[in-house]
Amino acid sequence: MNTSNYVRRINNYKKCMKILDCTYSIYIDEIGDFDFKKISKYSKSRNIYYKIENDFKRVNSLIDEADFFNAASILRTLYENIIYVVATSYDKKMIITLDTVPKELRSILEDNCRLLFTDYFEKEDFYNIYKYLCKIVHPSSMKELVSYLVNTLRYKEYMLNNLKYIMILIQYMYLNYLNKRIKNEDSKFDLNLIDCCTYINLVNISYLITNIKDSISIMKRYLFYDTKNKYIEDNAKICEQLSNEISKNQSIIEKNIKDLTRELDIQINNSKYKNQVNMILNGK
């Protein structure tokens, strides 16, 4: 690849990733529009409820500062707080004690997924997000690998953008609940935004995988004792299946992206976020 093609590819990548910033900005504004009194009757959760918006802002700032692990640590706590707010607002008989554990709260979301959220989420999603955050926060071989990746210029931006996507997915999960709680429906605008971000993160992950494939010894060095680990094997299979699906359905995916972005353009231009999105996309 000559220099001009390389520069063009990097510039296109950076423009693409700005959609994540646009979506974060829209979601954080929407989260601030909801009134606690309409969401929950559990008054003890009020202070934590009003902390959620500022914690999202803090996580986003840390990601922009390339402080990966502090961002991930706060994001995991933030995720637990969202689960707590949702669980206590739904289960009127729940008693919170010193012995209350995240799994107990999360099971309420899992067991009542269809009542609390739209069909976008499956019960397994709540645990999978939590497990991913725990793997990169707790000291482990995975954290050792991630620490290498986020401190290596070649991989750093891909890892930060993936974490930003996880944060945005949690934002959407929260908004999905809030909208269903108040309006008993999802926002089509919010749904289109998260779908677009998911496509964008697929591009981001594909770039990361391509680079890591060229340095497969890194994986072996950091995960030497985990080659038969179920978590590693399951995720390797998911990546392989995803890669195959993308290759088989590339033309369909491209059409879906064009249709999605066309609809999003209309929604953004008809919203109060038009100027805000243009400023982010133009780097102002």
Side-chain angles (χ1 to χ4, degrees):
M1 180 183 294
N2 61 44
T3 302
S4 60
N5 285 341
Y6 176 76
V7 170
R8 192 179 301 114
R9 189 183 79 163
I10 294 301
N11 286 339
N12 288 340
Y13 170 81
K14 288 182 176 179
K15 287 178 182 177
C16 193
M17 292 304 126
K18 285 183 178 180
I19 299 295
L20 298 180
D21 292 319
C22 293
T23 302
Y24 159 78
S25 183
I26 292 169
Y27 280 176
I28 199 67
D29 183 72
E30 291 181 343
I31 286 170
D33 286 341
F34 290 89
D35 184 3
F36 174 78
K37 291 179 182 178
K38 295 181 179 179
I39 300 301
S40 179
K41 302 301 181 185
Y42 186 72
S43 61
K44 292 178 183 177
S45 69
R46 178 190 299 273
N47 292 325
I48 292 176
Y49 172 89
Y50 283 115
K51 193 175 184 300
I52 288 171
E53 181 182 353
N54 286 331
D55 282 351
F56 272 124
K57 292 177 181 177
R58 184 61 183 142
V59 171
N60 189 63
S61 294
L62 288 169
I63 293 172
D64 289 343
E65 293 166 11
D67 193 348
F68 184 93
F69 287 112
N70 281 329
S73 296
I74 296 174
L75 184 58
R76 191 191 68 160
T77 300
L78 170 56
Y79 182 54
E80 289 177 340
N81 286 342
I82 288 172
I83 289 173
Y84 155 79
V85 167
V86 174
T88 53
S89 68
Y90 174 76
D91 190 343
K92 307 297 188 297
K93 296 180 180 179
M94 167 161 275
I95 298 173
I96 302 296
T97 71
L98 285 172
D99 296 323
T100 301
V101 294
K103 184 178 180 181
E104 182 182 350
L105 296 169
R106 195 176 62 244
S107 66
I108 293 174
L109 277 65
E110 293 169 346
D111 295 341
N112 301 281
C113 182
R114 291 283 68 85
L115 293 172
L116 295 169
F117 301 89
T118 66
D119 291 344
Y120 186 91
F121 292 103
E122 300 293 336
K123 64 179 294 183
E124 295 82 8
D125 294 334
F126 306 106
Y127 174 65
N128 288 337
I129 292 172
Y130 185 72
K131 187 173 183 179
Y132 171 77
L133 290 172
C134 287
K135 288 289 183 185
I136 61 177
V137 167
H138 295 157
S140 66
S141 59
M142 179 62 72
K143 186 172 185 178
E144 290 174 345
L145 171 61
V146 171
S147 69
Y148 170 80
L149 295 175
V150 298
N151 283 285
T152 303
L153 189 61
R154 186 176 182 181
Y155 313 110
K156 183 177 185 177
E157 194 166 1
Y158 306 131
M159 296 296 294
L160 289 166
N161 281 326
N162 183 62
L163 186 61
K164 180 163 286 195
Y165 170 74
I166 299 299
M167 176 191 67
I168 290 168
L169 180 60
I170 293 171
Q171 279 185 304
Y172 175 68
M173 179 183 290
Y174 189 43
L175 280 168
N176 187 284
Y177 164 73
L178 294 173
N179 279 309
K180 189 161 186 184
R181 176 82 170 169
I182 300 298
K183 306 172 186 175
N184 199 31
E185 62 181 16
D186 191 16
S187 162
K188 179 63 174 173
F189 185 31
D190 291 348
L191 178 60
N192 284 343
L193 284 167
I194 194 63
D195 282 344
C196 186
C197 287
T198 300
Y199 281 127
I200 286 167
N201 197 50
L202 285 175
V203 173
N204 181 57
I205 292 299
S206 69
Y207 273 55
L208 175 62
I209 290 172
T210 299
N211 276 277
I212 289 180
K213 277 183 178 178
D214 295 336
S215 305
I216 197 67
S217 61
I218 294 170
M219 302 291 287
K220 290 180 179 178
R221 176 155 48 104
Y222 282 92
L223 301 176
F224 180 81
Y225 298 104
D226 297 298
T227 52
K228 298 299 181 182
N229 182 279
K230 187 176 185 301
Y231 181 80
I232 299 296
E233 289 183 340
D234 287 349
N235 279 277
K237 288 177 183 176
I238 290 171
C239 287
E240 185 177 355
Q241 290 170 359
L242 186 59
S243 179
N244 291 336
E245 287 297 316
I246 291 172
S247 298
K248 290 178 187 176
N249 301 291
Q250 190 166 355
S251 60
I252 297 173
I253 290 172
E254 288 176 358
K255 182 182 182 305
N256 288 342
I257 292 172
K258 286 179 181 178
D259 292 342
L260 176 61
T261 52
R262 192 179 299 114
E263 185 175 356
L264 257 180
D265 280 341
I266 294 170
Q267 290 174 323
I268 290 170
N269 286 328
N270 291 330
S271 76
K272 66 177 181 178
Y273 302 110
K274 178 181 177 180
N275 292 335
Q276 183 177 331
V277 168
N278 286 335
M279 287 178 65
I280 294 172
L281 293 178
N282 293 322
K284 296 180 181 178

